[in-house]
Amino acid sequence: MDTDITHVLLVGGTGRFGGRLASALLARPGIHLHVLVRPGTHGDALAEHGVTWVRGSLDDMRSLDSALEGVDAVVSAVDGAPEVRVEGQLRLLDSARRHGVIRFIPSDYSLDYADPESGGAFMDAHRQVADAVVRSGVPHSFVLCGAFMETALSPRAQVFDFERGVVSYWGTGDEPFDVTSMADAARWVAEVVVDPRATGRRLEFVGDVATVNGVAALYEELTGHVLRRVCKGGVEDLRRQLARVRPEGVTVQQPSASLALLAQLAGKGRLREPANAEYPRLRPVSVRAFLQSRWMLPSAASAALPLASQP
């Protein structure tokens, strides 16, 4: 591992995934973690674990320059509108370049945004930042992990609504998609940030491969509750929806983020070259184990149920 990387700045560390990233980075010996937080934000929860809280904002270049003093690596977990996801990260990248950081990991953690059918404008933001990172010359790594289980298997994805007993989907329901728990994605990022082998690479990690029908059948097996299936149209219908013109004045973030997730659960943006084997000590959580833990289901119902081929 690269012992030169000891001081890591985490941006977006107070968010849902960012908090898991903070925990994973803190668990690595030798890392001193700095977390950028907005002025007025309370960041005392992790202070006792040795976190250095740095006040600043992505729209304030002076505060970014101050936050990056003495930092070896930057890990971004920002989310939100384009002015945050794109403009904010580009300012962060510019400051990282000027301060000579030796590793920059932008906020990807997604499906393959290079796939032209992977979700329209929301994925365009990923592509724009990735292109800028490569052009900047800053040593970097990209980390992709498909969809987060916590999102893809929740009502937010507009597919699985287990509380109401409904599964709505596009296509046949047998299209495979990649899912990873937030905790596993965070642990992989914590490995990548200090690994010299990861410099200049795009690393794909997959916790599990599932299908809509497979997840529904697994839930029914584990709970005994039958789900109602609702097909909303074919994959071509979804493609037309993804390509529709966005009304003037509508922000790109929420509608496009939802469409990107829908596209993923219909089999778009698959990760084709998982790098799981490069970090063999990390054993990701399966969809079965995730569902069992979420509803505190008995592990006795652990007979294998084919979701899709594991990478």
Side-chain angles (χ1 to χ4, degrees):
M1 294 298 171
D2 193 340
T3 55
D4 291 333
I5 295 180
T6 56
H7 289 267
V8 177
L9 175 68
L10 174 60
V11 182
T14 59
R16 191 178 179 199
F17 176 57
R20 289 171 171 84
L21 265 175
S23 296
L25 289 165
L26 283 169
R28 288 204 60 86
I31 284 184
H32 185 88
L33 182 62
H34 307 243
V35 177
L36 185 74
V37 292
R38 286 184 172 276
T41 301
H42 295 290
D44 299 330
L46 293 173
E48 62 187 58
H49 299 287
V51 171
T52 298
W53 296 100
V54 184
R55 303 293 173 180
S57 171
L58 288 175
D59 55 15
D60 181 355
M61 184 60 82
R62 182 177 297 179
S63 70
L64 290 180
D65 285 339
S66 177
L68 278 156
E69 287 291 341
V71 166
D72 305 309
V74 175
V75 177
S76 175
V78 303
D79 198 3
E83 54 266 29
V84 175
R85 179 176 287 277
V86 180
E87 286 88 346
Q89 284 200 101
L90 294 184
R91 283 189 286 272
L92 180 64
L93 173 65
D94 183 51
S95 184
R97 177 186 59 79
R98 289 185 286 103
H99 283 80
V101 303
I102 56 179
R103 185 65 53 83
F104 186 92
I105 300 180
S107 184
D108 289 326
Y109 325 120
S110 67
L111 68 164
D112 182 3
Y113 47 77
D115 184 339
E117 297 180 349
S118 63
F122 184 69
M123 290 295 106
D124 287 342
H126 285 273
R127 288 187 282 269
Q128 186 175 344
V129 172
D131 290 344
V133 169
V134 172
R135 290 196 306 269
S136 73
V138 174
H140 60 272
S141 301
F142 300 113
V143 178
L144 282 72
C145 59
F148 288 134
M149 291 181 182
E150 292 83 350
T151 302
L153 305 183
S154 76
R156 182 180 175 186
Q158 304 177 41
V159 175
F160 301 103
D161 192 337
F162 297 121
E163 298 298 326
R164 294 178 55 240
V166 178
V167 176
S168 306
Y169 59 93
W170 300 83
T172 66
D174 291 324
E175 293 83 5
F177 58 90
D178 307 309
V179 283
T180 304
S181 74
M182 288 185 178
D184 286 332
R187 283 191 285 267
W188 270 313
V189 173
E191 293 282 339
V192 167
V193 72
V194 295
D195 188 351
R197 300 173 303 169
T199 305
R201 295 177 60 194
R202 189 182 92 156
L203 291 143
E204 302 175 352
F205 299 105
V206 178
D208 205 347
V209 180
T211 68
V212 170
N213 287 332
V215 171
L218 177 55
Y219 175 83
E220 290 173 335
E221 177 205 341
L222 292 171
T223 66
H225 298 151
V226 177
L227 299 170
R228 180 168 62 91
R229 271 77 160 176
V230 177
C231 180
K232 301 179 73 173
V235 173
E236 288 298 322
D237 297 317
L238 176 61
R239 182 180 291 112
R240 284 191 289 271
Q241 181 167 338
L242 291 172
R244 77 188 190 284
V245 177
R246 186 164 46 91
E248 185 177 355
V250 176
T251 64
V252 70
Q253 168 60 17
Q254 188 52 49
S256 295
S258 299
L259 289 174
L261 191 54
L262 280 172
Q264 187 168 3
L265 270 61
K268 303 302 180 183
R270 293 292 313 284
L271 302 179
R272 305 295 181 180
E273 300 179 0
N276 296 32
E278 295 188 33
Y279 303 90
R281 73 182 187 86
L282 300 182
R283 301 295 298 273
V285 171
S286 67
V287 170
R288 173 182 286 276
F290 177 82
L291 293 178
Q292 287 173 332
S293 64
R294 184 168 183 177
W295 283 281
M296 302 300 291
L297 299 172
S299 59
S302 58
L305 178 76
L307 295 177
S309 58
Q310 179 75 20

